[in-house]
Amino acid sequence: MSRFRNALPQLGDGLFLTDAGLETDLIFNRHIPIREFAAHTLLDSPEGITALEGYFNGFLQLARTIDAGFVLDAVTWKAHRCWAADLGASIADLRDANHRAVAFAASLRDRADNSRPVVLGALVGPRGDAYRPEHHISAHEAADYFSEQLGWLAETEVDMVTGLTFNQASEAVGFVKAAQAQGLPAVVSFTVETDGDLPDGQSLGEAIQQVDDETGAGAAYFMINCAHPDHFSPVLTQEAWTSRIGGVRANASRRSHAQLDEAPDLDDGDPEEFGLLHRLLGRRMPSLKVWGACCGADLRHVTRIAEAVGR
């Protein structure tokens, strides 16, 4: 049974944290390979499970220490049909991976014994490359596509799903509609380029408005991820659409997506400065309730964010 599927606690008052750049942290900082950048494959070995436990337990401990809520996302970002061939996985394998990933996250939540709510989420990645949209995906096509993975997730005790690093409004519309059909609260997290626009050139405000218009404001809230605060802060004006943004998972690096793709090293930026930039965001945007990070960031960065926005 899900705990919060009918009432997400982060929609109320209080600070919520989430994790950081799981893949970049494990690969670059802890020297743990991740096959095809698909974190659910770590559940196939005792060493991978231990790595995931160590990673997530650090963030759960931080939330427990500062008395914050936590959004604990299952590692299902690439556990969908688009990646089956690359992973050498059958559709049955992917369904099982989604179920095992949620069960693993639920076990971490139950063992953590945090006093504030721990919301059990599941990540869903876009169909194709998150940085470079390979083709336009219609809302109808996306709804049909995502209904498969979201159907698997609806069978679990997950509380919500997040479309992470989405790069097209139409694909996000389909994702939200598929989640609505399954009775799952959905969050859409867009990625943007260095100019604050989506990779396909649409402005962030227009993308959020399109998703709301075509789904009856069906997303629980929106997020921004996989971009540095300097890339998106300038477009977060006082317009009404910004109040729909409820969380941020920024990159530690100021590098563009193209530069990140080509970089042989990890740019983890300056965690202290990173925290201060988030404090400025929080002062400007009271709608922000969920704070985490993305590529290049780790527990240090989220700790600095928590210290900065909690003041």
Side-chain angles (χ1 to χ4, degrees):
M1 291 287 292
S2 63
R3 296 183 181 181
F4 304 115
R5 193 176 292 187
N6 295 322
L8 297 178
Q10 67 267 42
L11 296 179
D13 295 326
L15 172 68
F16 277 75
L17 300 179
T18 189
D19 68 296
L22 183 153
E23 294 87 355
T24 55
D25 186 11
L26 294 188
I27 292 170
F28 289 97
N29 295 332
R30 310 188 194 205
H31 309 292
I32 297 168
I34 301 177
R35 186 160 59 91
E36 298 294 335
F37 216 65
H40 70 270
T41 62
L42 293 172
L43 295 170
D44 295 335
S45 72
E47 296 79 11
I49 291 172
T50 298
L52 288 172
E53 288 176 338
Y55 172 83
F56 281 112
N57 282 335
F59 292 97
L60 286 162
Q61 174 63 50
L62 172 63
R64 187 161 58 248
T65 299
I66 68 169
D67 197 31
F70 194 78
V71 178
L72 177 58
D73 286 315
V75 290
T76 48
W77 189 65
K78 291 188 79 171
H80 51 96
R81 183 179 289 263
C82 174
W83 307 107
D86 290 350
L87 293 166
S90 68
I91 301 308
D93 291 335
L94 292 175
R95 178 176 181 269
D96 180 63
N98 279 269
H99 288 185
R100 288 191 295 120
V102 173
F104 172 76
S107 72
L108 292 177
R109 174 200 61 190
D110 295 343
R111 284 179 279 156
D113 194 30
N114 286 35
S115 59
R116 294 272 288 134
V118 176
V119 181
L120 192 60
L123 299 180
V124 177
R127 184 178 180 180
D129 193 314
Y131 288 172
R132 294 184 298 272
E134 295 159 3
H135 66 280
H136 174 76
I137 300 173
S138 71
H140 176 77
E141 180 185 3
D144 182 64
Y145 177 78
F146 288 115
S147 65
E148 182 174 58
Q149 185 181 17
L150 295 182
W152 299 332
L153 291 169
E155 297 168 343
T156 73
E157 57 185 305
V158 76
D159 296 312
M160 58 176 281
V161 292
T162 298
L164 193 74
T165 329
F166 269 43
N167 51 43
Q168 300 179 49
S170 55
E171 186 174 29
V173 168
F175 170 77
V176 172
K177 287 185 174 181
Q180 289 175 313
Q182 294 291 342
L184 290 169
V187 172
V188 171
S189 187
F190 283 120
T191 188
V192 297
E193 298 291 346
T194 56
D195 61 0
D197 290 342
L198 270 63
D200 68 357
Q202 186 178 31
S203 74
L204 179 61
E206 289 173 347
I208 289 175
Q209 193 61 57
Q210 180 180 340
V211 176
D212 269 352
D213 287 346
E214 296 185 23
T215 64
Y221 54 91
F222 291 83
M223 295 181 67
I224 304 169
N225 81 288
C226 214
H228 190 273
D230 282 358
H231 299 165
F232 57 81
S233 292
V235 306
L236 299 180
T237 61
Q238 295 303 309
E239 296 178 67
W241 62 266
T242 61
S243 67
R244 291 286 282 136
I245 301 176
V248 170
R249 295 186 63 158
N251 280 355
S253 172
R254 286 183 168 86
R255 291 172 177 169
S256 68
H257 289 156
Q259 290 170 328
L260 288 172
D261 258 353
E262 298 170 359
D265 61 335
L266 180 70
D267 179 7
D268 61 357
D270 179 344
E272 193 69 32
E273 178 201 35
F274 198 64
L276 294 176
L277 290 173
H278 283 77
R279 180 188 296 174
L280 295 175
L281 277 175
R283 288 175 176 174
R284 289 172 51 200
M285 298 184 64
S287 63
L288 292 175
K289 300 291 180 63
V290 181
W291 301 88
C294 206
C295 297
D298 53 48
L299 183 59
R300 295 171 301 151
H301 298 77
V302 178
T303 299
R304 298 287 86 81
I305 291 170
E307 293 171 348
V309 302
R311 293 174 183 171

